[in-house]
Amino acid sequence: MLKNKVEEVLDKVRPMLQADGGDVELVEVTDNGIVKVKLQGACHGCPMAQMTLKNGIERLLLKEIPSLKGVEAVQD
């Protein structure tokens, strides 16, 4: 299942985020291939969060799962 595969890829990113006091939670994978995540801890509100999202999380997800279209952060 696609959601499980996304979780596996996020598990590869988590140690880097957790080392900086943050984390990422998978909210949903939409039918049109958009992964929605919630940045947590130190990542939430961090000025570098958008760069982490695009250059780290999104790049790895699109590399590992080419059928995805992108990654978006959602707020509470």
Side-chain angles (χ1 to χ4, degrees), residues 44-62:
H44 180 73
C46 169
M48 300 299 286
Q50 191 62 29
M51 187 180 297
T52 298
L53 184 71
K54 292 295 177 186
N55 293 343
I57 298 170
E58 182 177 71
R59 199 175 86 220
L60 185 61
L61 278 168
L62 295 181

Side-chain angles (χ1 to χ4, degrees), residues 13-25 37-53 57 73 75:
V13 177
R14 278 195 176 97
M16 175 187 71
L17 299 174
Q18 290 169 345
D20 289 332
D23 206 346
V24 62
E25 173 191 345
V37 298
K38 188 181 296 183
L39 296 173
Q40 300 176 319
C43 292
H44 180 73
C46 169
M48 300 299 286
Q50 191 62 29
M51 187 180 297
T52 298
L53 184 71
I57 298 170
Q75 305 299 321

